[in-house]
Amino acid sequence: MKTKEKAVQGAPKKKRGKLALKIIGAIFAVILVFVAVTAVISLMGNKANIEKIAAFPKVETEKQLVPVKDENGYWTFTTDEEFKVMQLTDVHIGGGWMSLKKDAMALNAVAAMVAAEKPDLIIVTGDIAYPVPFQAGTFNNLSSAKVFAALMEQLGVYWTLSFGNHDTEAYSYYGRDDISEFYSGEDMKYCLYQAGPEDIDGYGNQVINVKNSEGIITQSLFMLDSHSYVDGDILGIMWKYDNIHENQVQWYKETLGTLNAQNNALLKEMGKKENSHIKSAAFFHIPLTEQRDAWHEYRDAGYKDTENVKLHYGVAGEGGDIVFCGIHEDSLFETMLELDSTKAIFCGHDHENNFSVDYKGIRFTYGMSVDYLAYPGIYKLGSQRGCTMISFFPDGGFDCRQENYYQDKYESVYEKESVEMQEVTYES
């Protein structure tokens, strides 16, 4: 009798257990179907954007400079005239079903600016990809890289990049090594990206040189990996950003030494005085702490120039004062001052900062961002969107200017969106 009662009482528990399993199974099935459907939509959408890219004409120039690799394996351009670099930053291609329209806007903007400016080289200072699932609808950061690379190859302008924090998120499908391998692919005709020395932290630590017709280096362009999040902030929600690492600084110093020695050897061979002092510029994503120091000194002086700081142009649109730099100290700026070679640093990361300021003899410049996706509502705003044009001169000097995308000279293949042109002002 007891056994029979126990069996009768146990029956409902088994039924409830089976019901729970069915519910869980149904939920998983719905999730799998959702993932599969969105993956297909993302795939088809990216394919459609790549097909749109085919409508962008190849950029035609009177005389395109073609780089070659020198004895060190570095890409080298040769010219006795101005060398034009376009800095793009924070393009933020989502590559997923939720971002396809905004991705198309970003591609349209980049194509219009490149077609009008016709640079000799494009340098992207990070965050080509933005695989944040609740905004992009995907974890696949390689899709974003493929779409952007397809655009660059279609335009036919030489380009390279330094990585940003979003290019390879902790939850992305692909790591820096995978994305680095993709950009290094032999099928990339115009991409000059090099992964850099294996014993140096990060990927994409490289140098591209500009030489005159005598073979003398007139400008060295350093790309550095400023890494991503640090101190346990693997998702980046606490804004704890990394710095340039010490072995990267050492590599930069040693590379400059080698290039100077080669210049001097050539000068000696030509019977000229050995006085090589190569001028250089650096490109990376996350600002140095000194860039924050420079702006804060300018702010604390009532938004006026000081003995150390001279503002060339632009604003700090990130709350008026914010520079999201690395949270630790590094020796890159001090090394640059010591070597007296690098006179310009170009970065991105802070989409609404676009100021250019001299600080202790080195010019810090934020590139204008392209972003339509990452900052909430930023696709509706236009003052911060554009590119930075940099002129490097045969005597080693340089100058740069910011260019807003919404100028008439940038004629886009697809219709430009309407935006609000906001203004930032300061009270001294």
Side-chain angles (χ1 to χ4, degrees), residues 132-400:
V132 177
F134 61 86
Q135 289 174 283
T138 185
F139 296 95
N140 192 339
N141 50 334
L142 182 58
S143 293
S144 307
K146 286 182 176 179
V147 170
F148 186 77
L151 173 65
M152 291 292 99
E153 294 300 300
Q154 173 70 18
L155 296 176
V157 176
Y158 291 101
W159 64 290
T160 191
L161 68 129
S162 55
F163 280 116
N165 51 298
H166 288 301
D167 284 302
T168 56
E169 297 280 9
Y171 46 75
S172 299
Y173 288 161
Y174 300 94
R176 256 170 165 64
D177 54 342
D178 301 306
I179 304 300
S180 179
E181 184 177 354
F182 167 73
Y183 286 129
S184 302
E186 293 183 359
D187 56 334
M188 297 282 192
K189 181 178 178 181
Y190 294 98
C191 184
L192 305 184
Y193 171 85
Q194 292 180 306
E198 293 183 358
D199 58 342
I200 303 300
D201 292 345
Y203 290 86
N205 299 302
Q206 69 172 124
V207 60
I208 293 176
N209 292 315
V210 182
K211 292 183 178 179
N212 62 24
S213 57
E214 293 183 314
I216 300 297
I217 297 172
T218 58
Q219 194 75 222
S220 289
L221 310 178
F222 283 87
M223 275 57 69
L224 295 166
D225 187 350
S226 56
H227 310 286
S228 188
Y229 313 110
V230 72
D231 287 14
D233 186 21
I234 60 172
L235 298 179
I237 59 177
M238 295 181 285
W239 299 294
K240 292 183 177 181
Y241 299 109
D242 205 350
N243 300 70
I244 306 294
H245 295 183
E246 195 56 38
N247 59 12
Q248 294 173 278
V249 177
Q250 190 61 30
W251 169 79
Y252 156 82
K253 183 175 183 177
E254 291 173 355
T255 301
L256 270 176
T258 298
L259 296 176
N260 269 315
Q262 290 173 350
N263 256 13
N264 278 324
L266 184 55
L267 287 168
K268 182 178 181 180
E269 184 180 314
M270 295 163 58
K272 296 183 178 181
K273 183 180 179 181
E274 299 175 43
N275 62 350
S276 174
H277 189 67
I278 291 173
K279 297 302 179 185
S280 60
F283 297 79
F284 46 84
H285 185 66
I286 299 172
L288 298 182
T289 56
E290 287 83 5
Q291 191 154 337
R292 178 191 59 194
D293 296 343
W295 184 258
H296 284 185
E297 182 172 325
Y298 178 75
R299 176 202 64 189
D300 294 344
Y303 299 101
K304 292 181 174 62
D305 292 347
T306 71
E307 181 181 354
N308 293 320
V309 181
K310 176 186 176 184
L311 181 69
H312 288 271
Y313 61 73
V315 298
E318 299 276 346
D321 297 314
I322 300 172
V323 173
F324 288 104
C325 55
I327 65 170
H328 299 301
E329 296 295 328
D330 60 64
S331 65
L332 182 60
F333 186 75
E334 290 80 5
T335 302
M336 288 176 170
L337 290 177
E338 172 195 341
L339 299 179
D340 195 29
S341 168
T342 297
K343 296 300 180 183
I345 297 173
F346 299 91
C347 70
H349 191 53
D350 300 336
H351 304 188
E352 295 180 331
N353 287 350
N354 55 31
F355 62 80
S356 181
V357 60
D358 278 335
Y359 183 58
K360 298 183 178 180
I362 296 177
R363 185 167 173 178
F364 287 110
T365 299
Y366 271 110
M368 296 192 77
S369 66
V370 177
D371 177 31
Y372 284 85
L373 178 62
Y375 283 24
I378 200 167
Y379 69 96
K380 300 177 183 178
L381 306 178
S383 299
Q384 78 295 334
R385 185 168 295 117
C387 64
T388 302
M389 292 305 302
I390 311 159
S391 297
F392 292 104
F393 304 115
D395 63 358
F398 79 98
D399 198 7
C400 62

Side-chain angles (χ1 to χ4, degrees), residues 49 52 91-109 130 134-136 370-380 385 417:
N49 273 339
K52 285 184 177 180
V91 184
H92 283 259
I93 303 296
W97 66 279
M98 296 174 67
S99 67
L100 295 171
K101 183 178 179 180
K102 292 176 182 176
D103 292 349
M105 291 178 180
L107 298 169
N108 193 42
Y130 188 68
F134 61 86
Q135 289 174 283
V370 177
D371 177 31
Y372 284 85
L373 178 62
Y375 283 24
I378 200 167
Y379 69 96
K380 300 177 183 178
R385 185 168 295 117
E417 63 284 345

Side-chain angles (χ1 to χ4, degrees), residues 49 52-60 86 88 91 93 103-119 122 147-148 150-157 370 372 385-387 405 409-416:
N49 273 339
K52 285 184 177 180
I53 286 170
F56 296 128
K58 188 178 187 300
V59 176
E60 300 291 344
M86 172 185 282
L88 295 171
V91 184
I93 303 296
D103 292 349
M105 291 178 180
L107 298 169
N108 193 42
V110 170
M113 292 186 290
V114 174
E117 296 293 351
K118 304 183 190 318
I122 297 169
V147 170
F148 186 77
L151 173 65
M152 291 292 99
E153 294 300 300
Q154 173 70 18
L155 296 176
V157 176
V370 177
Y372 284 85
R385 185 168 295 117
C387 64
Y405 167 51
K409 72 173 180 176
Y410 295 138
E411 298 179 2
S412 54
V413 171
Y414 302 101
E415 186 179 356
K416 288 183 185 180

